Amino acid sequence: AAAAAAAGVALGFVLSGTLVAVLGEKKVFSRHSYYNSADDKNGESKNTTRTSASRGDKNQFLDCSDGDYLKLTYAKLEDDDLLKLAVDECCGAIATFVGTTRNTFQGKTVTQLSYEAYAPMALKQMKKICLEMRNTWTEMRKIVILHRLGVCPVGQASVMIAASSPHRKEALNAVHWAIDQLKKTVPIWKKEHYTGNSLSNLESSGSKSVYL
């Protein structure tokens, strides 16, 4: 609960006539890395691609397959991109979740957050979340998970999740579940930056990933 206090969140949906109602594996953790012994020798899954982002941005990591769009990026996350990626003509609902940087945490003034991730494993865990969503809510059509890396200023989004389905209940329940699972399982590390140049290092430990 404390780790979540530095981010504001929004959850909602929009309706329209056509659509849019918006381990057996060994894991070793350290502050800045996450290694999984079941990964291939290059540490990347077949569906993971590393591409150059738009001019002026750093790299982004993508996994686009089976109706899922997963991205880790140093670029600013945009609401319009989220909805466009989730739209499906068979659906009447898109549920969305947006987590943003708050300006206070435990009485301290937050100036910004910064995120680090081991991209191949993070995308792999995000894909597992998508598979479980589809197994649980079988009418799910498109799933989008976007996560910011690097510096995330106050007021900007650090994570966005969207899911489309024929009816709103399934989409809303799936997105609510997805953000909880992302917090628990995806290896993404957060640092909180406070006024006066003080810094809080939050890191993953055991089965917990510190997130939002």
Side-chain angles (χ1 to χ4, degrees):
V9 296
L11 176 64
F13 65 93
V14 179
L15 294 173
S16 78
T18 308
L19 76 67
V20 189
V22 106
L23 221 95
E25 299 175 351
K26 179 181 178 182
K27 297 179 176 66
V28 180
F29 292 84
S30 66
R31 178 174 297 177
H32 301 300
S33 66
Y34 181 109
Y35 169 73
N36 187 292
S37 62
D39 288 348
D40 62 30
K41 62 182 179 180
N42 295 319
E44 298 204 17
S45 67
K46 293 180 180 179
N47 290 329
T48 302
T49 59
R50 180 174 180 148
T51 64
S52 176
S54 58
R55 186 174 63 179
D57 294 332
K58 297 180 181 179
N59 289 335
Q60 63 184 6
F61 301 86
L62 299 172
D63 185 338
C64 309
S65 60
D66 306 319
D68 305 331
Y69 186 94
L70 313 176
K71 181 167 74 172
L72 303 171
T73 181
Y74 289 89
K76 182 180 179 181
L77 302 181
E78 301 289 352
D79 291 345
D80 289 346
D81 294 338
L82 182 70
L83 295 178
K84 288 177 183 177
L85 291 167
V87 166
D88 188 288
E89 293 182 355
C90 296
C91 298
I94 298 176
T96 66
F97 172 94
V98 178
T100 59
T101 301
R102 279 172 55 174
N103 62 4
T104 59
F105 178 64
Q106 295 183 343
K108 299 179 181 180
T109 300
V110 176
T111 58
Q112 64 185 29
L113 300 179
S114 59
Y115 292 91
E116 298 179 7
Y118 177 58
M121 178 51 62
L123 289 174
K124 182 178 179 180
Q125 293 300 118
M126 289 159 70
K127 187 65 176 179
K128 287 183 178 179
I129 291 173
C130 293
L131 291 173
E132 185 62 26
M133 289 170 72
R134 294 186 183 282
N135 288 335
T136 305
W137 297 276
T138 56
E139 293 187 341
M140 199 65 52
R141 299 290 292 186
K142 293 184 179 178
I143 301 171
V144 182
I145 304 178
L146 313 176
H147 203 294
R148 184 85 173 260
L149 297 179
V151 173
C152 186
V154 170
Q156 292 190 15
S158 56
V159 59
M160 292 184 175
I161 300 177
S164 58
S165 66
H167 307 289
R168 67 181 182 272
K169 184 176 180 179
E170 290 79 6
L172 287 167
N173 288 340
V175 169
H176 189 176
W177 178 87
I179 184 59
D180 288 343
Q181 289 301 113
L182 193 151
K183 290 165 61 177
K184 293 176 183 177
T185 65
V186 178
I188 296 175
W189 294 265
K190 179 185 70 175
K191 292 181 181 178
E192 294 168 342
H193 302 256
Y194 306 114
T195 54
N197 297 320
S198 60
L199 179 68
S200 174
N201 289 305
L202 303 180
E203 61 185 7
S204 184
S205 177
S207 61
K208 292 184 177 180
S209 290
V210 174
Y211 174 81
L212 286 185

